[in-house]
Amino acid sequence: MTKVIYILIALQLLASCTATLNEAPNQLTVSEGFKNPIGFHDQTPTFSWKLPVLKQVKSQSGYQIVVASDPELLPHHADLWDSKTVPSDQSVQVTYQGKPLQSKQKVYWQVRFTDQEGNASAWSEVANFELGLLSNADWTAKWISLEPEVIHDTLHASTLLYTPQYLRKSFLVDHEIAQARLFITAKGLFEAQINGKKVGEDVMVPGWTPYTKRIETLSYDVTDLLNEDQNTIGIILGSGWHSGRLGWSKFLWFEKPLPRALCQLEITYKNGDKAIIPTNSEWKGTRNGPIRSSSIYDGEVYDARLEFPHWSTFDFDDSQWENVIAEALDPNVDLVPKSHLAVTPKSVLKPIAITHPDSGRYVFDLGQNMVGVMDLKIPVKKDQTVMVRFAEMLNPDGTLYTENYRNAKSTDYYIPKEDGTISYRPTFTFHGFRYVELSGFDEDQHPEKDWVTGIVQYSNFDKTGHFNASHDKLNQLQQNITWGLRGNLFDIPTDCPQRDERLGWTGDAQVILPTSMFNYGVHAFWSSWLKSAREEQGDDGSIPFVIPNCLGPESSSGWADAVTVIPWELYFRTGDTRILEDNYEMMKGLVAYYKAHAENHIADVNTFGDWLQPYPLGEGNRGDTPQDLIGTAYFARSTDLTLRAAQVLGKLEDVRELRTLRDTVRAAFEDQFIDSEGKLTTEFETQTGYLMALGFELVTEETAQKILPHLIRKIEDADHHLRTGFLGTPLLPTVLDKYGLTDIMYTILFKETYPSWFYCINQGATTMWERWNSYSHEDGFGDAGMNSFNHYAYGAIGQWLYERIAGLAPLAPGYKKVRIAPIPGGPLSFAEASYESIYGKVSSAWRKVDSGLELHVTIAPNTAAQIRIPFKDGMAIRVDGEELSERSDITFVKRTETAIELEAMPGTYVFKTL
Ligand code: RAM
């Protein structure tokens, strides 16, 4: 008997040895890519994991997720959800289906999978998330602020501003603390301190949403900041986007509501008791603190003579401070956990040079146009105001060029309380700058480079992509694109970060989305912004120019369409179908808006047009492509994207209706704007007119073939330069690529003369510019009325760098299938890109060798790849030195005149053509 048992055990052991992988899934994330978040926003999260990169692991055949309220219960006693073994290859965005989750709940989860052979993996490490305060009912706190002040004209800004408030409250803790959380937000901006220490790293929080509908709340683990007896919490409250100057004249400061703060400190004691310290009428406050004024556009005034050291500690005497006013929450304004990461300091820049263009003024050159604030460590004299000015560029005499800030003062002031060295970084403002000018410091001291540090701030996302090629200017372009993205993805996607604007311009956002997704982990960023878009949509389906809206109710085609383009692109690049579910009604709303503003399917919708098209023949900035053409093109485009969304969501009736509508609008477009020779019927024949017809597939294939020669002629007439603005430029690569004209695209891209990407680089650009000639060595600065040196729209070319120069693109939603299809061209001898997809790393790197090409490819587990390699008659191909026929992981698909097409399983490969 015992012998039999031994044999059985041995057999079992053997079975488990051969059938089990030692490795586990890794990089567990929830919802839009969050890693172990606290203050999490999503009550019905989705789960994603990556399969280990192992030769034998190709794909997933099943998974099991276990979710529990205590890590001790995992994996075998999951009390919230056990998915059981699910036969499925889905390893991303699996929706939670367990017990309902509550505000503040801490949840632990683990996952394991079986591979294509049925081998079970080990359990992953335990990941977790902790929900924030999910609804207004969770708040016992009240909004607090000081009595409204008599608004005054501040010293330096010549703008009327609210004075920042300092608010505080002391309390006692009488048991041992297990954990403490601070839930906090503001109408305006806050900085929280506990016992003299700043809470968290975030700046400019809570960020910008449509405040009359939704305000985001932040959650911080403050367990380590609390003492076991005496404690004090302090809040500095600034105006920010909510209560400060924003937009233009029609939204003057005095229409702005007062700033207010709201927080709730929740302590759980080791004995299980709980305590809540909320903002209420027991708090005290003052406006007599050192930050005298702060404004996003204008900068900050800091008077150190008014400092009250240790103001957020227990022993501080606040008897002179006023009582605050406490107000109940507004039931119409939803308080919800912030659903993307806040702006934080991300890196630093050190000056590369110091110049002295003017008496008493020194200019520090950070070598790179950036966004954020400066950190000063400088010698000062008592009462002598230090002035800090900023600029993106210098005038020929070396002084700051600030005209393009328009009426944003963008100046910080510091008034010292004594002689000595001070350390100062502003709190509630940010600047777009490369140069920092200092004056008013102690002039007996000679400026040193370490006096100034640039603190680069942006929304706290990670880098996901990498592009590099054998061409310095192309690499500089990639650098400029990524700096442009970092500078303008500042809680919301902005047009520019420096002048009296910095608004969520929709048109700029829709063209940059794919490029942003290659370079940074901005899934949550965009999905959060889309919430604001939904809230800002008019009842008639209209979408304002900027989101959040502070300019007015009008729509513009090409801009409003951000609400169809972004959900679709974001879905396609992440595979997150919830993006489509959440935004589908908004997409349909925009289509309805077009329909209501069209006659015979020709749209009559206002548009900024092909904004800033070079060499316009007509007046103004809107370019020569007419409004009705652009409107109708986008009417068809938005209808098509909504149709695609309806298909994914299985809305069959809508699919039928939208398809009919799209086809009718397309036919109307062709009829109205293209003649029988394929030529535009509009007053001016523009590259953009042709590009829209072809890029949005608005004409039959037969007509498309007739249009092509006209487009090529227009490009040749321009000596292979673009003649496109914000809307047309991103279509150049799409269209030229589609029709096999990538050599023309290479020529346009590698042009050095105006207008072109390299032209800006030749004029010294370190970011993307608003105009191709925002500055030129020959003519100096462009019209200062609109002359941003950090405007990401033309950075949309970044998508082509990844997708076609390096050859790495999603082929199925979320990179479940990738397309590796580089097109070597121009003067390049190599190019490479990699991208950290939700399944894992994907990369494509080619190099010209002898008479052929060497292509290194990485395909993430649980995905597949279509690979297209340039190939001519008489060539041969090897994979890792072997014949194709010897490989079971590569399938031959077809040969065309110019390429060979293969399918590959996950793994890394070196292809060589010879
Ligand atoms: C400018 C913005 C933006 C553009 C609009 C039309 O003010 O900077 O880039 O989209 O106008």
Side-chain angles (χ1 to χ4, degrees), residues 212-271:
T212 54
K213 300 194 172 108
R214 179 175 50 97
I215 298 180
E216 293 182 315
T217 63
L218 281 293
S219 310
Y220 297 97
D221 179 353
V222 293
T223 317
D224 293 342
L225 292 179
L226 290 177
N227 300 321
E228 297 268 295
D229 43 16
Q230 301 175 334
N231 290 281
T232 299
I233 174 162
I235 299 174
I236 316 175
L237 175 63
S239 298
W241 295 283
H242 179 274
S243 308
R245 187 158 82 89
L246 197 65
W248 302 310
S249 51
K250 41 182 166 166
F251 285 83
L252 290 171
W253 63 272
F254 48 77
E255 292 174 16
K256 288 271 177 182
L258 285 166
R260 285 180 178 78
L262 180 80
C263 86
Q264 193 158 302
L265 174 64
E266 301 205 8
I267 304 173
T268 311
Y269 296 112
K270 287 201 172 141
N271 66 6

Side-chain angles (χ1 to χ4, degrees), residues 347-605:
S347 62
V348 297
L349 289 177
K350 302 274 186 201
I352 56 167
I354 304 175
T355 51
H356 186 200
D358 218 346
S359 123
R361 295 177 181 224
Y362 284 81
V363 173
F364 293 71
D365 177 4
L366 295 170
Q368 170 64 52
N369 199 12
M370 61 158 275
V371 177
V373 291
M374 82 299 161
D375 202 288
L376 295 186
K377 287 207 177 34
I378 54 167
V380 294
K381 299 291 262 183
K382 182 174 185 313
D383 297 332
Q384 182 177 306
T385 303
V386 175
M387 180 166 74
V388 195
R389 294 167 69 232
F390 300 86
E392 296 183 295
M393 298 288 279
L394 296 180
N395 290 312
D397 63 359
T399 58
L400 300 190
Y401 167 77
T402 54
E403 283 78 2
N404 70 327
Y405 284 176
R406 301 197 302 218
N407 69 28
K409 301 280 179 282
S410 200
T411 305
D412 298 329
Y413 296 89
Y414 184 98
I415 305 153
K417 60 172 183 280
E418 57 197 15
D419 294 0
T421 299
I422 56 118
S423 177
Y424 169 61
R425 181 193 293 201
T427 308
F428 295 134
T429 190
F430 64 94
H431 310 280
F433 62 102
R434 167 173 170 170
Y435 301 96
V436 180
E437 181 204 82
L438 282 188
S439 58
F441 54 88
D442 178 355
E443 277 168 33
D444 295 339
Q445 312 286 330
H446 192 71
E448 303 284 344
K449 284 187 187 156
D450 62 6
W451 284 16
V452 173
T453 307
I455 309 294
V456 179
Q457 300 170 330
Y458 53 93
S459 286
N460 193 10
F461 43 72
D462 293 331
K463 191 167 163 33
T464 48
H466 158 89
F467 171 88
N468 181 43
S470 60
H471 195 281
D472 289 347
K473 280 186 193 161
L474 193 63
N475 293 339
Q476 183 66 46
L477 174 61
Q478 164 66 10
Q479 285 286 316
N480 294 0
I481 291 170
T482 52
W483 273 105
L485 287 167
R486 277 173 285 170
N488 284 297
L489 300 177
F490 195 97
D491 201 67
I492 60 148
T494 62
D495 58 331
C496 59
Q498 75 294 70
R499 66 185 179 213
D500 56 346
E501 191 154 3
R502 317 186 196 186
L503 305 178
W505 279 97
T506 44
D508 311 44
Q510 65 106 345
V511 300
I512 203 63
L513 183 111
T515 300
S516 75
M517 294 293 293
F518 269 114
N519 289 291
Y520 296 105
V522 282
H523 181 175
F525 178 92
W526 288 111
S527 122
S528 300
W529 187 66
L530 285 172
K531 274 187 211 170
S532 299
R534 298 201 289 277
E535 287 158 354
E536 296 289 23
Q537 183 165 40
D539 292 340
D540 58 353
S542 59
I543 294 291
F545 306 152
V546 295
I547 291 167
N549 187 13
C550 62
L551 294 184
E554 307 102 306
S555 279
S556 157
S557 55
W559 273 252
D561 306 82
V563 308
T564 53
V565 175
I566 292 182
W568 177 258
E569 285 285 344
L570 190 55
Y571 155 71
F572 189 66
R573 285 160 196 284
T574 60
D576 184 359
T577 37
R578 290 202 304 188
I579 297 285
L580 295 183
E581 286 160 15
D582 292 346
N583 294 295
Y584 183 68
E585 287 306 317
M586 172 167 69
M587 300 170 85
K588 262 177 75 173
L590 181 66
V591 173
Y593 178 82
Y594 270 116
K595 226 170 138 180
H597 291 81
E599 205 170 314
N600 297 325
H601 297 96
I602 300 300
D604 180 19
V605 173

Side-chain angles (χ1 to χ4, degrees), residues 773-839:
N773 58 352
S774 284
Y775 169 81
S776 71
H777 296 312
E778 309 89 70
D779 302 323
F781 292 106
D783 172 10
M786 248 186 26
N787 204 24
S788 154
F789 289 89
N790 201 349
H791 230 78
Y792 56 38
Y794 288 138
I797 189 68
Q799 178 183 0
W800 201 66
L801 270 47
Y802 276 87
E803 291 194 346
R804 294 298 267 153
I805 294 186
L808 190 167
L811 193 60
Y815 290 80
K816 182 80 174 125
K817 187 158 189 185
V818 293
R819 186 182 71 154
I820 304 291
I823 32 159
L828 298 179
S829 60
F830 79 83
E832 58 186 21
S834 70
Y835 173 70
E836 191 59 40
S837 83
I838 191 162
Y839 293 96

